[in-house]
Amino acid sequence: MRFRQVHLDFHTSEAIEGIGSRFSKQQFQEMLQLGHVDSITVFAKCHHGWAYHPSTANEMHPHLSFDLLGAQIEAAHEISVKTPVYLSAGLDEKLARRHPEWLIRDPQEKLNWAPDFMTPGYHQFCMNTPYLDILANQVREVVSNYDVDGIFLDIVGVRECYCQSCVAEIRRRGEDPRNLDAMKLLWEETFLRYAQTMDEAVHRIKPGLPVFHNSGHVKRGRRDFAKLNTHLELESLPTGGWGYDHFPLSARYAQGLGMEFLGMTGKFHTSWGEFGGYKHPNALKYETALSLANGARISIGDQLHPTGWMDPATYALIGEAYREVEAKEEWCRDVNSVADVALLSAEAAGEPGNTAQHADAGAVRILLEGHYLFDVVDTENDLSSYSVVILPDVITVDEALKTKLTAFIVNGGKILATGRSGLSPDGSHFELDFGAKPLGDAAFKPSYFRPDFELPSLRHASFVMYTDGQDIELEPHGTKLGSRENSYFNRDLFTFCSHQHTPSNLQDAGPGMVEGPAGIYAAWNLFEDYALKGSLPVKEILHYALDRLLKRKTVQTNLPAQGVTTLQAQPSENRWVHHLLYASPVRRGLNVEVIEDLPVLSDIEATISVPAPVREVYLAPQGLKLPFRQANGRVHYTLPPWSCHQMVVLQFEHATNAQKP
């Protein structure tokens, strides 16, 4: 995979004439060079359903007079730029109007995406229909006729569908379409059959050609779905609704799968489908650096004008970021993360619903803002390299997970659990020994936590916990780290106080956080709390618990809270690369996070626990050597002033395979 990719959309209505009329090989090449682009995903078929090449498996756009796909591939290859090829798989508006019976339906026969055919928009196809064979022929045609460097298939995944093809199939099996479990099995089988059909369509002609099926989200815990791809492309446009916390959550999971992957952002001010929108060059610099810091290559989304003219402003913008990426690639190839903490994803553990999503998101924010080195893991990961495993909010422990976590604890690891995590599936007891006994769901919401320790930013107080909690009692061998306090009463018709919630009654109602042989347990959904409310006490409570369990962090730094730090091992070069990033997104409009300013940071220090003596420390790509102190297995250095992204290289004296000190 190349580092500097562009994903070029071209969803172009049949109502527009002059398609490709201004395409120029020279101008196309000049824009790729201006943008420092080394791979560009070009298009064979768009959401409207049209082909952009001569076709017998499809129909060429009625206002295109030449082979645009072939011309783009030829132009790109001439300057050594790769060309994966895009086909819209789940959407084909031309065909949707001809075969509406092949479209996804809900139980009430309503359509997917656009609600009807009187509303502008696309309609999604069910792959359990004859459409699958039509799509396979379109893919075969492209792979057979063109020198493609990969296939990108869009808008696919496990889809809920009650079209008559799915209903007929489930009844043929002797099942009832009202049986949700039976339908879920059918939907997964439909997606797997689709993926296998596409794989055969591609690899029978060109074995080993990269193929990616884009569903907009790589589901944590479904490695079988991830492995249907040859690589992963993590769609995460911060300004398009994903936000700046989303990519680290996806990337810290993807890197552990052992697959090549890239982070996909966009040049747009908002999201896909936008013409004339541009983000600040500093935003792209930060977003591309964030990919590098997480072991990923990069793809930036663009959309070609119907005339085929490549927009100079866009490629100047992309070039601002990719010029820097090009200089950094040497230190970003073939890397593995170094991490102290494993976050067991609530999604990966099979927990459904928004609470699980909030638990994962809040945990990642807590870890990023505390500058912890972490990976996001599923139940298949080997945990032996980590010091702490986090079970966020909703992860109950079955026998298989208990066996895995018990082995981790026996080998010296510690658990941080919150809310219902650590409980048996029926909630009757803790499966891990936190020195406490569960008493059931807390009767009061909210309730309050009074820590037995002082928070760094606040004095002793009773802090409100906004989310659901558990009542617990201390076992003789447990250590209480703070007390729960209940409110006078829950807010109700005749019992309410003030504008939001009732104050604490200031009475000790039992422990709220405890420590036992297995680790630390906090009795509220603290990670969900932080995702939804961003409470300072919650963050500092969780940082206290993590620091108490970790004892010795591999990386310590005085970066501001919005700073991001990662550590990537590059075994082939016998070095570690310490990434530091800083930007402060601001909210513009209604819900758009924007990065414009990249302030210069000074006097940023770092201390790294290392597995072997370090020969030299230097800045990359500048090559500037840094003075450093090395003692007791730690290396300390201070960075000169920097902005946005700085890599610090720790070059070991001798070859070492160690991933941790």
Side-chain angles (χ1 to χ4, degrees), residues 330-331 333-336 338 568-577 610-618 648-659:
E330 178 183 340
W331 294 271
R333 294 188 178 94
D334 304 319
V335 294
N336 308 306
V338 179
Q568 298 285 343
Q570 202 174 24
S572 63
E573 302 296 333
N574 193 32
R575 63 195 180 201
W576 280 2
V577 181
V610 292
V614 169
R615 185 179 75 234
E616 63 176 343
V617 176
Y618 65 91
V648 182
V649 180
L650 287 75
Q651 189 71 54
F652 294 112
E653 284 187 2
H654 308 292
T656 174
N657 293 321
Q659 288 294 105

Side-chain angles (χ1 to χ4, degrees), residues 148-457:
V148 303
D149 294 308
I151 293 293
F152 185 106
L153 295 159
D154 201 13
I155 320 296
V156 290
V158 177
R159 301 290 191 252
E160 296 185 9
C161 182
Y162 291 88
C163 75
Q164 291 311 303
S165 293
C166 288
V167 170
E169 172 61 22
I170 207 72
R171 294 192 69 195
R172 185 190 66 77
R173 300 179 180 190
E175 299 281 0
D176 190 323
R178 291 165 291 191
N179 181 340
L180 184 57
D181 289 337
M183 294 302 291
K184 285 181 176 179
L185 181 60
L186 172 64
W187 299 331
E188 289 202 1
E189 290 176 356
T190 297
F191 177 58
L192 290 171
R193 185 170 63 253
Y194 147 81
Q196 291 161 358
T197 301
M198 295 304 110
D199 186 75
E200 182 180 3
V202 172
H203 292 146
R204 180 168 288 188
I205 301 166
K206 292 186 178 176
L209 191 72
V211 178
F212 178 67
H213 308 277
N214 185 44
S215 60
H217 175 62
V218 176
K219 186 174 177 61
R220 296 182 291 278
R222 291 306 301 262
R223 294 186 176 214
D224 53 340
F225 289 165
K227 298 296 184 180
L228 295 172
N229 305 284
T230 57
H231 66 284
L232 299 176
E233 305 197 20
L234 307 182
E235 188 176 357
S236 185
L237 281 64
T239 56
W242 284 263
Y244 279 94
D245 293 330
H246 177 267
F247 178 72
L249 173 57
S250 294
R252 297 290 358 106
Y253 177 66
Q255 191 175 20
L257 297 178
M259 302 174 68
E260 286 191 309
F261 71 106
L262 57 81
M264 179 185 286
T265 183
K267 70 96 179 182
F268 316 106
H269 174 61
T270 57
S271 192
W272 298 108
E274 178 181 72
F275 289 103
Y278 304 85
K279 63 178 47 162
H280 197 286
N282 284 344
L284 271 189
K285 288 180 181 180
Y286 179 80
E287 290 160 21
T288 55
L290 191 61
S291 281
L292 295 179
N294 283 281
R297 316 277 168 117
I298 306 140
S299 178
I300 297 175
D302 179 29
Q303 184 161 222
L304 185 67
H305 190 272
T307 63
W309 183 258
M310 297 277 275
D311 176 37
T314 291
Y315 287 87
L317 168 62
I318 291 172
E320 289 284 323
Y322 274 172
R323 183 186 302 110
E324 295 188 3
V325 171
E326 188 173 11
K328 297 172 181 176
E329 291 175 13
E330 178 183 340
W331 294 271
C332 301
R333 294 188 178 94
D334 304 319
V335 294
N336 308 306
S337 76
V338 179
D340 297 322
V341 177
L343 167 61
L344 178 55
S345 164
E347 179 187 66
E351 299 295 339
N354 289 334
T355 298
Q357 297 297 326
H358 295 324
D360 284 349
V364 166
R365 289 179 191 172
I366 289 291
L367 291 163
L368 288 172
E369 292 175 20
H371 307 135
Y372 298 92
L373 301 182
F374 69 98
D375 291 332
V376 178
V377 303
D378 58 29
T379 56
E380 296 183 45
N381 280 86
D382 178 5
L383 302 177
S384 60
S385 66
Y386 303 104
S387 299
V388 173
V389 170
I390 296 176
L391 307 182
D393 295 352
V394 294
I395 301 180
T396 56
V397 178
D398 60 17
E399 281 301 317
L401 183 56
K402 179 181 179 180
T403 299
K404 192 178 191 76
L405 294 177
T406 299
F408 171 73
I409 294 164
V410 167
N411 289 324
K414 295 293 184 180
I415 307 293
L416 173 59
T418 56
R420 288 185 54 79
S421 291
L423 292 168
S424 60
D426 65 3
S428 63
H429 60 281
F430 283 114
E431 292 287 3
L432 307 171
D433 189 356
F434 295 112
K437 176 182 177 182
L439 301 176
D441 294 341
F444 291 87
K445 182 180 177 179
S447 54
Y448 296 78
F449 179 54
R450 186 179 293 275
D452 289 346
F453 49 91
E454 189 167 298
L455 303 185
S457 303

Side-chain angles (χ1 to χ4, degrees), residues 9-156:
D9 265 6
F10 195 60
H11 304 298
T12 310
S13 168
E14 62 277 6
I16 298 177
E17 298 183 354
I19 304 304
S21 59
R22 296 186 65 195
F23 175 79
S24 158
K25 174 193 279 191
Q26 180 180 348
Q27 199 261 350
F28 187 79
Q29 293 173 333
E30 287 174 351
M31 292 303 101
L32 296 181
Q33 291 167 333
L34 176 64
H36 291 255
V37 175
D38 60 10
S39 178
I40 183 166
T41 302
V42 292
F43 35 84
K45 175 194 173 186
C46 71
H47 289 346
H48 292 273
W50 302 111
Y52 295 91
H53 59 92
S55 176
T56 57
N58 196 0
E59 299 170 48
M60 195 161 80
H61 193 290
H63 301 299
L64 176 65
S65 61
F66 67 102
D67 185 352
L68 181 56
L69 173 63
Q72 290 176 322
I73 291 174
E74 179 185 339
H77 284 180
E78 200 171 273
I79 58 171
S80 300
V81 173
K82 284 191 172 184
T83 55
V85 172
Y86 175 101
L87 292 96
S88 181
L91 305 178
D92 185 325
E93 195 59 19
K94 163 175 56 65
L95 199 60
R97 290 183 175 271
R98 299 173 187 175
H99 288 285
E101 71 276 13
W102 295 348
L103 299 175
I104 289 175
R105 307 274 176 164
D106 72 8
Q108 288 74 44
E109 282 290 314
K110 292 181 180 178
L111 293 168
N112 185 281
W113 283 44
D116 50 50
F117 282 101
M118 299 302 289
T119 304
Y122 302 118
H123 303 84
Q124 191 170 191
F125 276 88
C126 175
M127 297 296 178
N128 193 26
T129 68
Y131 174 71
L132 180 62
D133 294 330
I134 292 173
L135 177 63
N137 286 334
Q138 293 170 351
V139 171
R140 288 188 197 98
E141 182 179 63
V142 170
V143 176
S144 298
N145 294 347
Y146 294 95
D147 183 16
V148 303
D149 294 308
I151 293 293
F152 185 106
L153 295 159
D154 201 13
I155 320 296
V156 290

